[in-house]
Amino acid sequence: KLTNMENFSQTDKEDYHFKFKVLVCGDVHCGKTTFLDSLSQENGKMIDLEASEEISERTCLHMYNHFLFKATYWECPGKDRIIKFISNYALGSNIVIVMFDFTKRSSLEKAEKILKELEICDIPIKIL
């Protein structure tokens, strides 16, 4: 249960209990950005957003049972040239979320390709 995220000052944002890196990847137009928007707007507070052509990175604070979690979400586009290097983006991640559009077979095939590329990474949690 989130409580009173508005009352945190700038110094509180660096005084967190846990820190996570989460990589979100998948086919284009499968809902990655919408998913991350809902996490940062409804279940936390976004404190930083950086975007380039290759990756979008947003840092959010989440509060649960009086513990402050700092999560950095890396969103990788589903372009083939990015997928070849997905294991590099996944380095240091605690969680990888691979998304796909279940109405398109090609989207599932791309998710399978991403999971294959991630096999060389030592990531504790992988979610499809």
Side-chain angles (χ1 to χ4, degrees):
K1 181 178 176 185
L2 294 171
T3 57
N4 222 355
M5 290 295 293
E6 313 75 53
N7 292 337
F8 286 104
S9 68
Q10 189 65 32
T11 55
D12 291 329
K13 293 175 183 175
E14 294 305 316
D15 188 22
Y16 47 84
H17 297 99
F18 302 99
K19 181 178 178 181
F20 298 99
K21 177 183 174 186
V22 180
L23 177 68
V24 179
C25 49
D27 198 9
V28 294
H29 305 296
C30 70
K32 298 180 299 287
T33 302
T34 303
F35 171 71
L36 289 174
D37 285 346
S38 71
L39 279 179
S40 58
Q41 293 171 4
E42 296 173 19
N43 297 318
K45 182 173 185 168
M46 186 166 34
I47 58 172
D48 192 25
L49 175 64
E50 295 180 32
S52 71
E53 186 178 316
E54 294 183 359
I55 196 158
S56 169
E57 178 184 340
R58 64 179 79 195
T59 304
C60 300
L61 294 175
H62 302 278
M63 182 72 121
Y64 183 76
N65 285 342
H66 305 291
F67 289 105
L68 187 61
F69 297 83
K70 183 176 182 179
T72 304
Y73 299 99
W74 290 44
E75 178 185 355
C76 286
K79 299 173 184 169
D80 286 329
R81 63 182 173 86
I82 301 293
I83 292 173
K84 290 189 274 187
F85 302 104
I86 200 81
S87 60
N88 292 337
Y89 291 116
L91 289 174
S93 293
N94 304 96
I95 301 168
V96 173
I97 300 171
V98 180
M99 298 182 72
F100 68 97
D101 180 347
F102 67 90
T103 64
K104 297 179 184 173
R105 181 170 182 82
S106 63
S107 183
L108 178 59
E109 290 169 352
K110 190 164 282 192
E112 290 174 329
K113 186 187 280 188
I114 291 170
L115 288 170
K116 182 143 181 71
E117 291 291 328
L118 290 171
E119 285 178 356
I120 63 171
C121 299
D122 186 26
I123 300 167
I125 301 171
K126 294 177 190 169
I127 301 171
L128 178 62

